[in-house]
Amino acid sequence: MELQQLQEKLQEWQKVWPAAVKEALIGGSNLVAEEIKRRWSGGELQKRTGRLVGAVKTEVKTNPIHARVYVDQKQQYKAQTFEYGKTIVAKGTSRKSRKRKPGKEPFMQIRPSKYGGGYYFGRPKQVHISARPVFAPSLNAKRKEVVEMILRKVMEAYRRV
């Protein structure tokens, strides 16, 4: 069964068994959310705080029928960066590296000074973060399981009646 056909059936079933349809949609969206969390808990981030994985949320509405998996607003920028990839350009940096003055903000070490007397410090001009999509591949991997789970839950509700 394709998703378009399932959506049409759900609209019919929602009139008869609204609780069963909502329960099935919650279960299906949770399947996809767990897959996204599993994929993000890998080695994408150097420091694993769990904030990005914990920001994955699900939302289900039955009128109109709507189920989605999304990232909480606080982590949305980070999620989009990992999903689509991005080049982050440092603003307000000069082209020349400069010697670090005591008490000033720390910069990334670029190279040792060839004249002695310490290191030159500067900021990177840009950082490229490659795309590591998890939303679309997770949905594609779990699509068949989600459809089967929704059909199974609705059929259970039909048998109870």
Side-chain angles (χ1 to χ4, degrees), residues 36-66:
I36 289 168
K37 289 179 181 181
R38 186 189 68 76
R39 287 178 187 244
W40 256 343
S41 63
E44 282 89 2
L45 304 173
Q46 275 187 340
K47 185 178 179 184
R48 295 188 189 130
T49 60
R51 288 184 194 146
L52 187 56
V53 173
V56 176
K57 308 284 183 209
T58 60
E59 178 185 68
V60 172
K61 293 180 183 174
T62 54
N63 197 7
I65 294 176
H66 178 76

Side-chain angles (χ1 to χ4, degrees), residues 3 20 100 106 112 114 130-131 133 147 160:
L3 286 179
R100 184 179 172 199
K114 62 182 176 183
S130 58
V147 171
R160 280 186 256 144

Side-chain angles (χ1 to χ4, degrees), residues 14-31:
Q14 200 257 340
K15 296 172 188 169
V16 184
W17 308 294
V21 170
K22 185 170 186 174
E23 184 184 335
L25 289 174
I26 289 171
S29 57
N30 285 342
L31 266 178

Side-chain angles (χ1 to χ4, degrees), residues 79-87 128-132:
Q80 287 173 347
T81 302
F82 278 100
E83 185 74 14
Y84 304 113
K86 190 171 190 169
T87 300
H128 179 72
I129 298 172
S130 58
R132 298 180 183 104

